[in-house]
Amino acid sequence: MAQSTSIKLFEDKNIRTLWDENQEQWYFSVVDVIAVLTDSTNPRHYWNVL
């Protein structure tokens, strides 16, 4: 399975991503997306509470 990882920028914040060539899909870190959307000081705790 061929995969590559990279960092995407959204409003000057990093979001970890993974591209899967076989499935031709992007995967994004949920914790990073929560951090960008909520400005939470602890996005991992925010995700655990959900």
Side-chain angles (χ1 to χ4, degrees):
M1 176 165 31
Q3 296 179 340
S4 65
T5 59
S6 66
I7 303 275
K8 303 291 184 208
L9 288 176
F10 181 80
E11 295 181 359
D12 297 327
K13 295 183 181 178
N14 294 330
I15 298 179
R16 292 171 288 175
T17 61
L18 175 81
W19 171 251
D20 186 340
E21 288 183 17
N22 292 336
Q23 295 183 5
E24 296 182 352
Q25 287 185 322
W26 280 105
Y27 293 93
F28 297 89
S29 168
V30 173
V31 174
D32 294 348
V33 172
I34 289 172
V36 169
L37 296 177
T38 65
D39 290 328
S40 174
T41 56
N42 190 353
R44 188 168 304 279
H45 181 261
Y46 190 99
W47 176 244
N48 287 339
V49 170
L50 282 176

